Each structure stands twice: as structure tokens, then as C-alpha cells.
Amino acid sequence: MHAAEGTVFGGVPVAPRPTKQRPSVIGIDLAGVVDAVGAGAQGFVVGQPVFGVVYMARLGSLAPYCCTKASRLRPLPEGWTFAEGAATGFSGSVSSMAVAAAGDPNGERCVVVGASGNIGGLIVRALVAAGASTLVGVCSGANAAHGTALGA
């Protein structure tokens, strides 16, 4: 309810209050097909399946159409459904940006703190796919088997 009205924590404003002319549409994670590419946006083409997040100040991914910056999108991996992409929008974006920022992991030994969590687990999978030689996963003992199953 608070996200829809542009507030959090019992009424603290975090976005403009919705009006009839500009209603609030909630949602951060998204998956779909690129319908249009704005001037200056690069890396995506009309018809391309993508997943990611909308711009935080506007939200609105739970609408038939939404706009976001190209930097907040990633190509939908081959074989993924839109449901999988939408469920992975925020965590997938954060994990892919982290792996990209760290550089080429091929043949490298990598440490992932939080390897059994949503973001850490995706980082582990991305590093395995990119050819990291050894992955050390840091997580609780209760989650060690899960981290190992992911590839750490």
C-alpha cells in the first residue's frame, strides 16, 4: 500500500504522491520484449527479450509498458522464461554488474561472500559459466550444501 501511494514506513514520502492524472504503478523487476529504443540508448534492439529493473524514482514495472534506462536491462538468457527473468530482475542485474566490474574471471580463483543467497548464488553461477577455476563460497554452515550445489 505504501509503495502505491509513494510512501514508506507509515507515510514518509519517497516519491511524488499519485494523482488521477499520474497514478502510481508499482513494481521494480521486469521482463519483456523491447518495444522501442530511445535516442542515445545502445545495446538493445526492438523485439529483443530482456530482463532488469525500472528506474527507482518512477517504478512501474507492473504495467503493460514501462520505460527504464538501457543500463538497467540485460538480455534475457537463452532458455529463460519471462517469469524467470522477472523473478531475477534486481538480483540478476546486481550480480551481472558485479561480475562485469570484477573483470574476466576465466582461470581465476574467486571468493563470493553470501554465496548461497539470491545475489551471491547468481554470482557463483555466472563465475562458473565464465570459467573461474576455483570458487570459494562464504555462507552459513546451514547453507553450505546449497552453495556447493551452485558451484562454490
Side-chain angles (χ1 to χ4, degrees), residues 116-135:
S116 63
N118 198 13
I119 294 170
L122 288 170
I123 290 173
V124 168
R125 288 177 156 176
L127 291 171
V128 167
S133 66
T134 304
L135 284 168

Side-chain angles (χ1 to χ4, degrees), residues 32-48:
V33 176
V34 175
D35 189 59
V37 179
Q42 298 178 10
F44 296 98
V45 296
V46 172
Q48 181 178 9

Side-chain angles (χ1 to χ4, degrees), residues 111-117 119-121 123-124 136-139:
V111 176
V112 179
V113 177
S116 63
I119 294 170
I123 290 173
V124 168
V136 176
V138 179
C139 59

Side-chain angles (χ1 to χ4, degrees), residues 11-88:
V12 177
V14 293
R17 293 252 185 197
T19 65
K20 282 186 176 183
Q21 295 76 26
R22 188 178 169 107
S24 178
V25 178
I26 61 173
I28 294 173
D29 299 300
L30 67 92
V33 176
V34 175
D35 189 59
V37 179
Q42 298 178 10
F44 296 98
V45 296
V46 172
Q48 181 178 9
V50 296
F51 77 102
V53 295
V54 295
Y55 185 62
M56 295 292 283
R58 294 189 56 171
L59 301 180
S61 68
L62 298 181
Y65 293 90
C66 62
C67 295
T68 193
K69 296 178 179 184
S71 63
R72 297 178 185 274
L73 296 175
R74 297 289 178 267
L76 190 69
E78 190 171 324
W80 279 30
T81 66
F82 289 119
E84 290 168 321
T88 311

